[in-house]
Amino acid sequence: MNNSYHTSHLKELEAESIYVLREVAAQFQNPVILFSGGKDSILLTYLAMKAFHPAKIPFHLLHVDTGHNFDETIRFRDEWLGSLGAKLVVGSVEEAIQTGLVREEKGFNASRNALQTAVLLKALEDGKYDVAMGGARRDEEKARAKERFFSHRDEFGQWDPKNQRPELWSIFNGKMHFGEHFRVFPISNWTELDVWQYIAMENVPLPNLYFSHTRKVFRRDGVLLADTPHINRRPEEEVFEAEVRCRTIGDTTCTGVWESNAQSVEDIIQEIATTRMTERGGRADDKRSDTAMEDRKKKGYF
């Protein structure tokens, strides 16, 4: 990790992301960072902190809370963002269900993940945010590979993957009509390995979910899921204890965990460098159809 080539590569990615963050500040009136508590949104927030140092982050942070998050995620969110002095806005899926904005899914495969879209769009409208920045990367999933850095959304929050603006010479076009908004992805060109190497280089703080720990789990459709009160288990799905960690963090009902003994960032880097399983291979929400992510994004999902 001390190799100068890797350090140079990571510094180039850092500079590119900081440039995008500063372009957002220059072109838009009321930006917001989407914060999930996962490593990519943590990295994005950390880069924003560096981009505007010594001033505080000049953006609000928005977390769409499903109510079915890992407890460790919420605890880390409140402690870390509190230490940064960042302004956190929370959009609640639970509240949206109670008010009738969305309807709770039923059955064994029920999840609140898809319900986040309506809550996100409402939060963006309520906050009058004209751009939402997030930690999506092109290497994560085929739909996300189609995104530009500046991704236009129409007045309904919808995304048209066939009608995106050119970004030649890193010139970004943030022009839009009233009622429309943008999604911006400053770490688009990073890979999962880049993220972890940068976290190691900068000693970026993380929730302990990313490191190996003992947890009660069960197996469903080839994926290990954490045993929580939010998931309806089938009678044949037996709970057992295992040494696991998260590669992604989201709603507990659809976020798979991985059997792992990785206790440190260096261990995780070695693990990722040798695995053949994709980062989102344990996300049950991506398995609902071959185009699950793109379908959600077209409706306004992040």
Side-chain angles (χ1 to χ4, degrees):
M1 187 54 229
N2 291 325
N3 186 292
S4 60
Y5 170 79
H6 289 305
T7 302
S8 174
H9 170 65
L10 295 173
K11 285 298 183 181
E12 288 180 8
L13 288 172
E14 177 191 72
E16 178 183 63
S17 299
I18 286 175
Y19 170 72
V20 175
L21 285 160
R22 289 173 176 166
E23 276 292 299
V24 169
Q27 293 196 38
F28 296 94
Q29 296 296 316
N30 192 22
V32 68
I33 292 176
L34 300 181
F35 188 85
S36 67
K39 68 182 186 310
D40 298 319
S41 67
I42 291 169
L43 170 63
L44 179 57
T45 305
Y46 181 85
L47 289 168
M49 182 177 65
K50 293 193 75 171
F52 300 100
H53 182 79
K56 290 184 178 180
I57 298 173
F59 315 124
H60 288 174
L61 280 82
L62 171 61
H63 181 208
V64 178
D65 184 358
T66 66
H68 290 173
N69 291 289
F70 289 97
D71 292 338
E72 296 93 331
T73 304
I74 302 301
R75 192 158 53 243
F76 176 88
R77 179 198 73 183
D78 294 342
E79 291 176 358
W80 190 57
L81 295 185
S83 70
L84 297 181
K87 174 64 181 298
L88 175 68
V89 178
V90 178
S92 171
V93 173
E94 180 66 40
E95 181 179 313
I97 292 170
Q98 297 302 321
T99 59
L101 177 64
V102 295
R103 179 180 293 181
E104 183 92 79
E105 292 183 356
K106 305 296 182 183
F108 290 111
N109 293 311
S111 171
R112 289 186 173 183
N113 198 54
L115 307 186
Q116 294 179 92
T117 299
V119 179
L120 170 59
L121 293 175
K122 182 177 185 302
L124 294 176
E125 184 176 357
D126 290 347
K128 297 181 173 59
Y129 300 116
D130 52 358
V131 58
M133 294 171 283
R137 309 185 323 270
R138 293 190 181 115
D139 77 316
E140 286 183 88
E141 202 273 343
K142 57 188 177 183
R144 285 182 168 166
K146 299 178 181 180
E147 288 279 19
R148 301 287 197 267
F149 279 102
F150 277 36
S151 183
H152 176 262
R153 297 298 196 270
D154 66 17
E155 64 271 26
F156 302 106
Q158 297 175 329
W159 172 62
D160 182 358
K162 295 182 179 180
N163 185 26
Q164 297 198 69
R165 299 173 180 181
E167 294 180 341
L168 305 175
W169 305 290
S170 296
I171 297 175
F172 304 122
N173 182 355
K175 294 184 183 297
M176 60 186 170
H177 296 293
F178 184 80
E180 300 173 343
H181 72 274
F182 272 78
R183 308 286 172 86
V184 172
F185 307 100
I187 63 170
S188 288
N189 286 336
W190 297 58
T191 67
E192 183 186 13
L193 188 58
D194 292 331
V195 171
W196 282 107
Q197 288 178 336
Y198 186 84
I199 286 171
M201 183 176 74
E202 295 284 309
N203 196 27
V204 180
L206 291 170
N208 57 17
L209 286 167
Y210 281 111
F211 305 101
S212 179
H213 58 283
T214 302
R215 185 176 290 272
K216 290 184 177 180
V217 298
F218 66 96
R219 196 175 299 278
R220 174 179 291 178
D221 299 328
V223 174
L224 285 180
L225 293 172
D227 181 39
T228 77
H230 308 307
I231 303 179
N232 295 319
R233 284 188 293 106
R234 297 182 177 92
E236 68 274 14
E237 292 174 332
E238 297 183 0
V239 175
F240 58 96
E241 285 192 346
E243 291 294 311
V244 298
R245 73 175 192 87
C246 292
R247 278 180 75 182
T248 66
I249 292 179
D251 190 288
T252 57
T253 60
C254 60
T255 301
V257 294
W258 303 74
E259 291 186 276
S260 171
N261 295 315
Q263 298 282 348
S264 67
V265 174
E266 288 73 20
D267 291 342
I268 292 173
I269 290 171
Q270 291 299 317
E271 185 179 85
I272 293 170
T274 57
T275 186
R276 297 182 62 85
M277 181 68 74
T278 63
E279 181 179 5
R280 294 186 66 91
R283 290 297 294 260
D285 48 328
D286 289 352
K287 300 178 186 296
R288 292 194 169 190
S289 74
D290 290 340
T291 59
M293 173 65 81
E294 184 159 332
D295 293 342
R296 295 199 304 274
K297 286 173 68 64
K298 287 179 178 178
K299 295 177 180 178
Y301 183 75
F302 177 66

